[in-house]
Amino acid sequence: MSQWKQIQQLEIRLLEQVDYLYDDNFPMDIRQGLATWIESQDWDTAVNDESMAGVLFTNLLSQLERVRSQEQNFLQRHNMKIIQQQLQVKYATNPVVMAKVISTCLREERRILSSACMQEQGPLEKSLQSSVAFERQKNMDNRVGIIRGSVQLMDQAVKYIEDMQDDFDFRYKTLQSRESTDRNSEMMKQEVTRLQEMLNRLDFKRKEILSKMDVVIKEIDDLMTSQLNPELQDWKRRQQIAAIGGPLLTGLEQLQSWFTLTAQSLFQIKRQLDKLGELVVKVTYESDPIPLQKPQMEERVKYLIYHLIKSSFVVEKQPCMPTHPQKPLIIKTGVQFTTKVRLLVKLPEVDYQLKVKTTFDKDLPPGRVRQFFILTNNTKVMDIEDYSNGCLSVEFRHLQLKEKKYINGTKGNEGLLSVTEELHSLSFEACFTVQGLTIDLETCSLPLVVISNVSQLPGGWASVMWYNLLTDEPRNLAFFGNPPRGSWSQLSEVLSWQFSTFAGRGLNKEQLTMLGEKLFGQHTSFSDSQVQVSWSKFSKENIPGKPFSFWLWLDSILELIKKHLLPVWNENYIMGFVSKEMERALLKDKEPGTFLLRFSESHLGGITFTWVEHGDNGEVKFNSVEPYTKNRLSALPFADIIRDYKVISDGVVPENPLKFLYPDIPKDEAFGRLYNSQPSKVHPYIPSTLIPISEMRSNASTTPRSCQSPEPPMTPGEFDMLNEHLCFDIDTMSSPYSE
C-alpha cells in the first residue's frame, strides 16, 4: 500500500497534522494527483544535487501536465494550471528548495504514520502538539489584532487633534490681527471665550491621546514579555526537538507575522509621537501634557523597538552538512556546511544592505584546547526572499572549518572530554539603523560537534541528541562536563524518532520495551516514568560482555536498515529487538519452519533469523544462522537470502528450512513482492546464482544450534565442489536469479 493511501486511513487527529504540512509551497492537490510518482523519486538525494533537483522539477511539471490533460472537470483543470504556474515562479531558479520541501513532507508523513502505530504519543510529542498551545496562539492572534486596531484609531485621533489645532491656530491669529480698539467689543469677548473653550478641548484631547498611547504601549510591553518572547522560546525549543528527529518544525511564518505587526504598531506610535511634537511647536500652553509626557514615552517605544528587533534575529536553519541532512549540528573539518539566519521583522524601514558576519567559537569555555576557524568567506548580505513573504534572510552555503595548528605540533585534546563531547558554536552578528535607532544584532547556533573523521559521526550524533533532549539552553558549551541523566520515557521516544527518520518506520511499544531491557536489564519496570539513564551508560560504557556501547550497537542497526533492509523493515517483518530467551518462548509452540528476524546482540550491524524444528520424539530445536552484516548483504538482498537459504546437514539434500514468518505467514506470501525478478529466458548465457548455504553442525545439547555460512555467500563453483564432495545431486538445486 502506498504511503499516501496509508495516510488517508489515519484518524482525524493525525490527518490534521498532515493537513498542516501542505500549503502553497507544496499543494496537497499535487500530493494527491501524483502520489505514486512522488513516492518513487529520490528527493533526499536531490536535496544535495542541484542537477538532479532540476531534472525532478522538470519531470514533476510534465507529470502535472499529463494529469491535467486527463482531467475531465474544468474547474480542476483550471486549478492545476494555476498550481503549475505558481510552482514555476517559486522553483524554476532554485529547484533544490522544492526538493527540500517535498523531502520534508514525505519524511514527516512517515513520522506521523509511525506515531499512529504506537498506542500513545510520547511525552515530548504530546507537549508539542497540545490543544493548549493552539488556544495560546489564537489568543496571540487576537491580542495582536486588537493592538493594531487601537493604533489605527490613534492615528485618526492624532489627525483630529491636528485639525482642531489648525482651527484654533487660525482663529487665534485672526483675533491677534484685529485692531486693538476692537478687542474690548462684545464680539471680541465672545471670540476669546470660544478660543478658551477650544483650547480646553484641545488640552483634553491631548491628554486623552497620550493616555491611550500609554495604555497601548503598556499592552505591547506586556504582549512581548508574557506571550511573544515565550512563543519565540517555544519555537526555538521545537527547533531543537525537530533537529533530533521530532515533529516537523512549523510556526516561523506565524512568528514573523506577530513580530512584524507588533513592530509596525511601535513604529506607528513613534510617528504619532513625532507628530505630536510638531503640533507643540505650533501651539503650546502652560501645563501642556505633550512636553511633559512625550520624552518618556519615546524612550519606552525605542526600548521596545530595540529589543523586539534584536530578539527577531534567529537561526532559521541550524548548521548542517549537505552530505548528512538528517544529522544537523555535526560539522566535519574540511567539509562544506550550510546555515541560514532570518530577521523576523519585515519592515520597509530596514536597510536592505544588512551585512551578517559569522564567527566560530566566539566564547570558548576555559581550558578548551581544540580551536577552529572558518576557512571560507564569512560575511554575506541579507536579501529579501520572494517565496517567504519578503522576509530578510541570508543563507551561508559554503562555510568550511579548519583546525588551528599548534606551536608544539600537537592538537591537544588534553581535557577529560572526548572529541564528540566538546561543544562549539557559530555566532552571527549584524548592525543597522532604522528611523535613527542603531541596533546591534547577535544570535548563535545551537551547540555543534566538530569531527575530523566520519567514524566519529555516531558519537557526535549521540551528543547532539542528548544535549537537545535534556536542555533548552541555547549555548551551554560546558554541558558534557557534568551531563544530566535522562528519563527513559523521553529517550525511548527520541530513539523511535531515529528509526522513523532514517528507516521510515518508528518503534512500537514492544520494541521499545525490548530496548529498555537491553539497556537496564529484564527486571526493570518501564511503566515507572522515573526510570533514568546516564549519559555514560547510553553512549560511553560497553554493554556487559560486549566490546561496544548501547548507542554504537543501535546506530549500527540503523545504518544496516537504511542501506540493506529498508523494504523488509517497512513491511514490519523484522521483530528486531528480542532476546534469545524470548525468541525461544515465541517459537516453541509454532509450526516447524516458523522463523523470526532479529538483530544480532553480539555483532555490530548484524541481522539473523532463527527457526524452530520438532524432532520425532517431540523435542523442540532452535536454529540460528550466523548474523548477516553489511558485507554479506551487499552481495545478496536479504529477501533473496530468505528465499534461497539452504542447510546441509548429515548428508541430507540441501533444503530451505524457512517456511513461515512468525507468527504464521507463509514465507513467499510475506517476501514474494521483495524478491529479485527471475532471469530472462532469452539471455544467451546459462544463468548463475549466489546461494546462501549453512552447514549444520551436529550437537547433542538442547541449546540453539549455530549455522555457519560462508562469507561472502557460496558461489556456484564452490557449491559444485561441495556437492561433489558430499555426493549431492546438483539437479535438485534451482537458479532463481542471475548475477
Side-chain angles (χ1 to χ4, degrees):
M1 185 185 298
S2 72
Q3 183 170 307
W4 186 244
K5 284 185 179 179
Q6 294 179 60
I7 287 289
Q8 292 172 311
Q9 296 176 3
L10 294 174
E11 58 181 286
I12 296 297
R13 172 181 64 86
L14 296 172
L15 284 175
E16 288 175 350
Q17 296 180 32
V18 175
D19 181 63
Y20 203 71
L21 300 176
Y22 295 96
D23 52 22
D24 290 343
N25 290 323
F26 185 33
M28 193 178 288
D29 298 39
I30 299 179
R31 183 67 180 94
Q32 170 77 25
L34 303 179
T36 303
W37 181 83
I38 287 173
E39 291 175 27
S40 66
Q41 309 305 309
D42 189 356
W43 300 101
D44 291 341
T45 301
V47 167
N48 302 309
D49 188 332
E50 192 167 347
S51 61
M52 182 178 178
V55 171
L56 284 179
F57 175 63
T58 303
N59 291 345
L60 184 141
L61 294 179
S62 300
Q63 291 288 330
L64 200 55
E65 177 63 32
R66 177 184 59 79
V67 173
R68 187 172 73 88
S69 64
Q70 297 171 355
E71 178 60 55
Q72 300 299 315
N73 186 290
F74 172 76
L75 182 59
Q76 285 282 38
R77 283 206 311 274
H78 173 76
N79 290 340
M80 294 182 79
K81 182 179 180 181
I82 297 299
I83 289 173
Q84 270 185 291
Q85 294 171 345
Q86 290 174 340
L87 291 177
Q88 286 178 317
V89 170
K90 283 179 180 290
Y91 303 126
T93 58
N94 197 357
V96 169
V97 174
M98 181 202 70
K100 288 179 182 177
V101 170
I102 298 178
S103 173
T104 300
C105 288
L106 293 176
R107 185 170 68 251
E108 185 63 12
E109 283 180 8
R110 292 193 295 269
R111 189 199 61 76
I112 293 172
L113 285 172
S114 176
S115 67
C117 297
M118 300 185 68
Q119 295 180 3
E120 60 181 22
Q121 288 179 300
L124 284 172
E125 190 159 351
K126 192 178 292 183
S127 67
L128 296 175
Q129 297 176 349
S130 66
S131 57
V132 175
F134 180 69
E135 290 299 321
R136 192 177 69 232
Q137 291 173 1
K138 283 176 61 178
N139 176 262
M140 186 74 177
D141 283 334
N142 188 48
R143 284 190 74 180
V144 170
I146 290 173
I147 289 172
R148 285 298 294 152
S150 299
V151 173
Q152 298 290 355
L153 290 175
M154 289 193 307
D155 250 5
Q156 299 175 22
V158 171
K159 184 68 170 65
Y160 179 80
I161 292 173
E162 183 180 17
D163 293 341
M164 180 189 294
Q165 179 171 304
D166 286 344
D167 188 21
F168 172 83
D169 188 46
F170 175 76
R171 288 175 177 273
Y172 180 75
K173 289 180 178 178
T174 300
L175 182 64
Q176 282 188 321
S177 66
R178 293 188 178 182
E179 296 291 335
S180 58
T181 54
D182 297 335
R183 294 183 179 177
N184 294 325
S185 65
E186 190 65 27
M187 187 179 296
M188 288 290 291
K189 289 179 180 180
Q190 292 178 358
E191 184 65 18
V192 169
T193 301
R194 188 179 296 112
L195 283 172
Q196 185 60 52
E197 290 174 352
M198 289 181 69
L199 187 60
N200 291 342
R201 178 71 175 164
L202 182 64
D203 181 63
F204 174 80
K205 284 296 182 182
R206 285 186 173 184
K207 289 177 180 177
E208 182 183 53
I209 189 64
L210 289 169
S211 176
K212 288 181 178 178
M213 283 183 177
D214 184 62
V215 170
V216 173
I217 292 170
K218 287 179 179 177
E219 176 69 8
I220 293 176
D221 193 353
D222 182 68
L223 175 79
M224 289 172 55
T225 303
S226 66
Q227 284 189 273
L228 191 55
N229 286 336
E231 286 291 341
L232 178 60
Q233 296 310 311
D234 179 68
W235 178 85
K236 289 181 178 180
R237 179 57 182 155
R238 286 187 287 115
Q239 186 185 47
Q240 284 185 271
I241 298 302
I244 56 175
L248 176 70
L249 180 62
T250 58
L252 193 59
E253 299 298 330
Q254 181 65 74
L255 266 178
Q256 180 173 296
S257 174
W258 292 334
F259 268 87
T260 296
L261 290 173
T262 303
Q264 287 174 346
S265 295
L266 286 170
F267 279 114
Q268 201 164 348
I269 293 172
K270 185 176 182 299
R271 287 192 294 268
Q272 292 166 358
L273 288 170
D274 291 341
K275 188 64 180 178
L276 291 179
E278 294 174 9
L279 296 181
V280 169
V281 174
K282 295 180 180 179
V283 175
T284 189
Y285 46 89
E286 187 177 350
S287 300
D288 185 348
I290 294 178
L292 294 175
Q293 300 181 38
K294 176 177 171 286
Q296 183 181 4
M297 283 189 178
E298 279 185 324
E299 288 304 312
R300 287 169 60 197
V301 169
K302 287 180 180 179
Y303 175 85
L304 293 175
I305 290 174
Y306 179 85
H307 286 280
L308 180 71
I309 295 180
K310 195 172 179 68
S311 64
S312 76
F313 192 48
V314 299
V315 180
E316 178 180 350
K317 178 183 176 182
Q318 293 293 335
C320 180
M321 295 186 293
T323 52
H324 295 81
Q326 295 166 341
K327 289 186 176 179
L329 303 173
I330 301 178
I331 308 301
K332 182 178 179 297
T333 53
V335 175
Q336 290 185 351
F337 64 95
T338 66
T339 186
K340 183 179 181 181
V341 292
R342 181 195 283 205
L343 191 65
L344 296 179
V345 174
K346 182 181 63 178
L347 291 171
E349 290 91 346
V350 173
D351 179 7
Y352 292 139
Q353 292 301 309
L354 182 56
K355 289 186 177 181
V356 178
K357 179 183 178 182
T358 61
T359 307
F360 198 80
D361 278 346
K362 184 178 180 183
D363 299 304
L364 273 178
R368 184 66 62 84
V369 178
R370 295 172 74 232
Q371 295 182 27
F372 304 87
F373 63 94
I374 297 175
L375 191 62
T376 48
N377 181 25
N378 66 338
T379 302
K380 288 190 74 173
V381 176
M382 274 190 150
D383 201 359
I384 303 175
E385 284 188 349
D386 294 330
Y387 59 86
S388 60
N389 300 319
C391 78
L392 276 172
S393 67
V394 60
E395 183 170 15
F396 294 86
R397 296 186 179 179
H398 307 291
L399 294 176
Q400 203 172 31
L401 288 183
K402 186 173 182 180
E403 189 167 358
K404 291 183 179 179
K405 293 183 178 180
Y406 299 86
I407 297 175
N408 60 5
T410 64
K411 294 186 177 181
N413 194 26
E414 299 160 357
L416 298 176
L417 300 180
S418 68
V419 168
T420 55
E421 290 175 318
E422 286 186 1
L423 299 180
H424 305 262
S425 72
L426 187 65
S427 303
F428 304 88
E429 297 173 310
C431 180
F432 71 100
T433 301
V434 54
Q435 289 198 356
L437 187 64
T438 300
I439 301 176
D440 294 315
L441 300 175
E442 183 175 359
T443 191
C444 67
S445 70
L446 290 168
L448 307 170
V449 174
V450 181
I451 63 175
S452 56
N453 192 292
V454 290
S455 64
Q456 298 166 334
L457 195 62
W461 186 237
S463 297
V464 169
M465 286 193 297
W466 202 261
Y467 182 95
N468 290 287
L469 170 64
L470 296 178
T471 182
D472 58 2
E473 294 181 80
R475 201 177 184 179
N476 182 3
L477 303 186
F479 176 83
F480 284 104
N482 184 24
R485 299 170 72 89
S487 71
W488 172 247
S489 60
Q490 287 182 313
L491 179 59
S492 62
E493 187 177 7
V494 173
L495 294 181
S496 180
W497 288 344
Q498 305 314 300
F499 281 82
S500 60
T501 299
F502 295 101
R505 185 176 62 81
L507 303 178
N508 57 35
K509 189 174 181 179
E510 290 72 23
Q511 290 170 323
L512 290 172
T513 298
M514 294 172 191
L515 276 182
E517 291 174 350
K518 179 77 172 176
L519 190 58
F520 297 102
Q522 295 188 359
H523 303 293
T524 304
S525 172
F526 298 106
S527 60
D528 183 1
S529 60
Q530 299 305 312
V531 175
Q532 301 277 309
V533 58
S534 69
W535 162 245
S536 182
K537 190 173 185 66
F538 172 70
S539 178
K540 301 182 74 174
E541 297 175 6
N542 286 344
I543 297 173
K546 304 293 187 296
F548 43 78
S549 67
F550 172 83
W551 168 245
L552 196 59
W553 171 73
L554 195 62
D555 182 73
S556 67
I557 290 172
L558 274 166
E559 283 296 309
L560 189 73
I561 294 174
K562 182 179 178 182
K563 294 180 179 178
H564 302 290
L565 302 174
L566 217 54
V568 182
W569 172 259
N570 285 322
E571 290 289 347
N572 203 19
Y573 291 156
I574 301 176
M575 184 170 290
F577 308 101
V578 55
S579 66
K580 293 179 181 178
E581 293 76 12
M582 177 60 71
E583 181 181 64
R584 278 179 274 175
L586 294 172
L587 291 175
K588 67 179 182 179
D589 296 325
K590 294 299 178 181
E591 288 289 322
T594 300
F595 66 99
L596 59 75
L597 310 176
R598 66 174 176 85
F599 297 116
S600 171
E601 296 183 286
S602 58
H603 289 65
L604 282 179
I607 186 169
T608 184
F609 46 82
T610 299
W611 70 93
V612 63
E613 293 178 352
H614 297 281
D616 295 336
N617 58 357
E619 180 187 6
V620 179
K621 299 179 181 179
F622 304 95
N623 305 296
S624 297
V625 72
E626 182 182 348
Y628 286 88
T629 59
K630 62 182 180 180
N631 292 333
R632 300 167 69 189
L633 292 174
S634 297
L636 272 180
F638 191 57
D640 289 3
I641 290 174
I642 299 293
R643 178 188 62 189
D644 301 330
Y645 182 72
K646 300 290 188 297
V647 169
I648 300 173
S649 177
D650 299 328
V652 178
V653 174
E655 63 175 16
N656 191 331
L658 310 178
K659 308 299 182 185
F660 303 97
L661 177 66
Y662 181 88
D664 55 7
I665 309 173
K667 176 188 64 178
D668 291 337
E669 180 182 318
F671 296 95
R673 294 186 300 102
L674 306 178
Y675 295 156
N676 271 3
S677 59
Q678 296 291 329
S680 171
K681 293 183 179 180
V682 299
H683 199 282
Y685 299 105
I686 298 174
S688 61
T689 184
L690 292 174
I691 305 171
I693 294 181
S694 292
E695 179 184 357
M696 187 75 75
R697 295 177 177 174
S698 299
N699 193 333
S701 69
T702 58
T703 58
R705 292 183 291 176
S706 173
C707 298
Q708 301 291 332
S709 56
E711 185 167 335
M714 191 172 295
T715 65
E718 292 172 316
F719 182 71
D720 287 342
M721 294 175 63
L722 184 62
N723 177 70
E724 182 179 353
H725 179 70
L726 296 176
C727 301
F728 289 156
D729 184 2
I730 191 65
D731 292 335
T732 62
M733 303 301 296
S734 62
S735 298
Y737 61 96
S738 62
E739 288 184 313

